[in-house]
Structure formats: structure tokens, C-alpha cells
Amino acid sequence: DIQMTQSPSALSASVGDRVTITCRASQSISSYLNWYQQKPGKAPKLLIFAASSLHNGVPDRFSGSGSGTNFTLAISSLQPDDFATYYCQQSYTTREISFGPGTTVDI
Amino acid sequence: EVQLVESGGGLAQPGGSLRLSCAASGFTFSNYEMNWVRQAPGKGLEWLAYISSSGITKYYADSVKGRFTMSRDDAKNSVFLQMDRLRAEDTALYYCARVGAGGSYAQPFDYWGLGTLVTVSS
């Protein structure tokens, strides 16, 4: 099984801050890495797919990078709407998709 | 507009069964692979099951393999999750999700339903 870890598990930030979240896979997953945002009581929303491609309608203050085992989600200038929990997801093997444990971004 | 609407959740006893449905609209359902994902109260996301667009290929997480069965009915634009031998740890909000984003090799889940709540308790 491919295990996903995220760091930090939570962070406090202010509007306008640059924020970075790290996701690591237990083995190489090439660029089979997606990022989701989830707000309390809501379904997750796709932000980034294939490690660095921005999903339709997602503000360009979000960016993704990395390949192999190390990946990063960056928010260039945090906005009030960005306070949420962020999950990475590997899809290297469709038969064993897995999510990271999540990173909560709050004030 | 793409919509996914889950239903069928509720209270079940340990060892019991439930059948979840996910009704899709706003896209050509038969062309898309689908998944079920759950989220226990206060916890993270857990992938459960995948079905190919043809319905032939299915994969399951180890935690539900042999107990849960995913299926689809393209005539009804729906996917289903038959859940048997339920356990207390199956208590969660269950989401269906579409694989999309232009056919990316990374198979991201580009649309999600709002979820249906399953509670397993005696």
C-alpha cells in the first residue's frame, strides 16, 4: 500500500500570508497526485491535479509542484475563503487510491 | 450543470445492510469512472471503491473488500454501494465522486456529491 503523509497537520496563518503544505508518498508516484480543499460541512473540491495542473475555476494563487515522493501545495496570498482543510491524494494505482491525513489552515 | 446526489443512508444495526445510491445528471454518465469515498465524523477522507465506465472493472479498499459491492446502472445514471456485514466503524458520511478533469492520467475526482450519512449502531 502507498501511504501518504502531510505536514504540518495544522497551521495558523493570516490573510495575505504565503502558505505551503507538504505531501509525501511512501514510494514514487510520479505525478499521480491531486489536491483537494474541504470546508466544514461541505464536500471536498478539486484544486490541483497531476501534481501541478490547476482545475477549472480555481484561483491562480493556488499552485502545486513536485514529483516522485515529495509534493507541495502553495497558496501565494491567503484569502479569507482559503481557511479550510487540504488533502492530497495519490492515484498511482487505481486499485489502491489513498488520501493524506489532511492539513487544516486556520487563523 | 454536473450534479451528484447520494441517498440511502440511515441507521443500521451491526451486521446489517444498507444500499446507497448516487444519481448523476448534467453529463454523459456512461463515459465516466466513478468512486465512493467516506469520511468518519471528525476524520479524514477514505477511498472505498472504484468502478470503470464499462462497469467491468471494480476495485475496493481492504477495509471494505468482501463486504461492500459497487455497481452502476447507466440507464438510470446511477452508481450504487451495497454495504453488508456493517460494523460500527463504517459510521461515516459517504460521498460519490466522478473521475474527470479532462481525462487526466491522474484520475482526479472533479465532482463530488454532498454525501449521505450512515450510522451503524445497536
Side-chain angles (χ1 to χ4, degrees):
Chain A
D1 293 11
I2 299 175
Q3 309 298 323
M4 307 300 292
T5 58
Q6 288 182 234
S7 60
S9 57
L11 67 89
S12 294
S14 301
V15 172
D17 285 352
R18 176 177 175 83
V19 168
T20 58
I21 298 168
T22 298
C23 175
R24 289 193 171 88
S26 59
Q27 66 183 71
S28 177
I29 57 170
S30 184
S31 297
Y32 289 75
L33 191 284
N34 307 308
W35 289 97
Y36 300 85
Q37 177 195 67
Q38 186 180 34
K39 297 180 182 178
K42 302 292 186 182
K45 289 185 177 180
L46 176 65
L47 295 177
I48 303 280
F49 63 95
S52 60
S53 295
L54 204 62
H55 184 48
N56 291 343
V58 174
D60 61 7
R61 62 180 179 272
F62 290 93
S63 64
S65 63
S67 66
T69 60
N70 293 330
F71 302 87
T72 300
L73 173 69
I75 309 173
S76 60
S77 177
L78 200 66
Q79 298 302 301
D81 192 47
D82 301 337
F83 291 95
T85 299
Y86 294 85
Y87 295 93
C88 61
Q89 174 217 27
Q90 68 80 18
S91 56
Y92 185 68
T93 54
T94 305
R95 64 179 67 229
E96 283 183 11
I97 291 169
S98 54
F99 290 89
T103 296
T104 300
V105 177
D106 59 21
I107 299 174
Chain B
E1 179 194 6
V2 172
Q3 283 199 319
L4 299 171
V5 180
E6 302 92 340
S7 61
L11 178 64
Q13 291 199 333
S17 299
L18 279 176
R19 186 180 190 234
L20 306 184
S21 300
C22 169
S25 61
F27 63 101
T28 305
F29 178 73
S30 59
N31 289 348
Y32 286 83
E33 301 154 84
M34 299 292 294
N35 290 266
W36 285 96
V37 176
R38 71 183 177 187
Q39 187 168 35
K43 303 297 184 182
L45 301 171
E46 180 186 14
W47 171 78
L48 297 179
Y50 158 92
I51 191 166
S52 63
S53 55
S54 67
I56 294 174
T57 302
K58 303 175 190 181
Y59 300 125
Y60 299 93
D62 288 344
S63 59
V64 303
K65 201 173 294 182
R67 299 189 301 124
F68 290 10
T69 304
M70 187 173 184
S71 61
R72 67 187 297 153
D73 183 339
D74 289 350
K76 295 181 179 179
N77 285 349
S78 294
V79 290
F80 307 96
L81 188 67
Q82 176 66 40
M83 304 189 299
D84 298 319
R85 305 204 313 269
L86 284 163
R87 306 166 180 166
E89 54 265 36
D90 294 320
T91 294
L93 186 63
Y94 285 72
Y95 295 103
C96 65
R98 187 186 86 164
V99 176
S104 168
Y105 64 85
Q107 299 190 303
F109 300 173
D110 65 349
Y111 284 94
W112 299 61
L114 296 179
T116 187
L117 183 63
V118 171
T119 302
V120 182
S121 173
S122 55

